[in-house]
Amino acid sequence: MTIWVGIDPGSVSGAVAGLYDNGDYLDSFEIIHQDKHVLPMVLKNMILRLIDPKEGGEICCELVHSMPNQGVASTFQFGRAVGVITAVCELSRYPFHLVSPVKWKKHYHLSSDKGEALDMARMLWPEAKLTLKKHIGRAEALLIAEYWRTQVKGLENAKTPSK
C-alpha cells in the first residue's frame, strides 16, 4: 500500500497532506516555519509521520515560480522556502515529483480561484476539517496528492466529481 503525499509549497502558507492508497484522507497540516524560514527537520518528520516505511509512499509537490510584481525580498524568501521543501522531499528517499498548477487544476476543472479548490477538497474529504479559509494550502495539497495518485495508478478521475 502506498501513501500519497501532496505538497503546496510556501514560505509561510505551505501545507502537506497525505492520502491512503485508495484515496481516503490520512492527514494534513501546515508547514512549520520560524521567522518565515521553513524548518527542514520539522518538515522531514512531518512527512515521515505520514508514510509508514513498511508501506512506502510517493510525494508530489506543486511546481512553482516567482510571480510578477513581487518584491525582491519576498521572491527570495519564497524561493528559499521552495528550495528547502524540495531538498527535504528529495532526501526522504521516496519518489518525488513536481506538477504545475495548470496541470493539476485542469484535471479538476478549477480556475485560479482558490475558493474552488477549498470547496472541492471539502466535498471530497469532509473528514479533513478544512473549516477555515486559511486551510486552502491543505486543500490544495490534498488535491495534488490525489492528482498524482490518479496519474500513477492510471485512474480516470478517481475522486473527481463530474462537472
Side-chain angles (χ1 to χ4, degrees), residues 49-74:
R49 187 181 80 202
L50 288 173
I51 303 173
D52 181 341
K54 295 175 283 197
E55 303 293 343
E58 296 240 359
I59 302 170
C60 187
C61 182
E62 187 175 60
L63 176 62
V64 293
H65 52 81
S66 62
M67 300 295 285
N69 302 320
Q70 281 186 319
V72 174
S74 61

Side-chain angles (χ1 to χ4, degrees), residues 88-128:
V88 168
C89 291
E90 290 279 358
L91 293 170
S92 74
R93 298 193 179 171
Y94 292 105
F96 175 65
H97 314 275
L98 295 166
V99 62
S100 73
V102 170
K103 193 173 265 190
W104 74 260
K105 287 182 180 191
K106 182 179 179 183
H107 176 79
Y108 293 105
H109 311 289
L110 296 173
S111 71
S112 60
D113 178 1
K114 293 195 174 278
E116 289 180 13
L118 189 54
D119 290 343
M120 180 168 286
R122 286 173 174 158
M123 183 175 56
L124 295 174
W125 300 283
E127 67 278 19

